[in-house]
Amino acid sequence: MTAETETARTAGSCCSSTGSCHDGAADAPAGGVTTVYEVTGMTCGHCEGAVSEEISELEGVTSVKAEASSGRVTVTSAAALPEEAVRAAVDEAGYALVGRA
């Protein structure tokens, strides 16, 4: 686990500081939705940054965590995002959205 991942957990991800998920409403963003997507083509930190930057610009997005090693992008938003909007953001960054992981 990277330091960034550990920081995200203690700073308000869907997992509590104890590592358990969904154990209380206070641990998840109020009214927030977390969705994991599969993205192809990411190979490095630059790729992660490009994808994160584009998705972060979508209205309602509160956090994005892209992981090149797994091809997964975790997005937390105020409400569910239209998949086509996420696809367009990933495409703008130069990668391909496979769909939800």
Side-chain angles (χ1 to χ4, degrees):
M1 182 179 307
T2 66
E4 185 174 345
T5 302
E6 289 172 10
T7 301
R9 274 206 180 135
T10 59
S13 75
C14 72
C15 295
S16 70
S17 59
T18 63
S20 63
C21 292
H22 311 290
D23 64 347
D27 293 329
V33 175
T34 299
T35 308
V36 180
Y37 298 95
E38 184 177 348
V39 174
T40 60
M42 295 188 299
T43 59
C44 65
H46 173 77
C47 301
E48 293 171 346
V51 169
S52 295
E53 183 178 334
E54 290 296 332
I55 294 175
S56 292
E57 292 179 9
L58 297 175
E59 187 174 337
V61 171
T62 57
S63 72
V64 180
K65 172 69 173 135
E67 295 178 3
S69 62
S70 66
R72 307 238 175 187
V73 179
T74 303
V75 180
T76 303
S77 54
L81 298 172
E83 189 165 314
E84 285 309 310
V86 177
R87 184 174 308 281
V90 171
D91 184 60
E92 182 67 25
Y95 305 91
L97 178 70
V98 175
R100 292 183 183 202

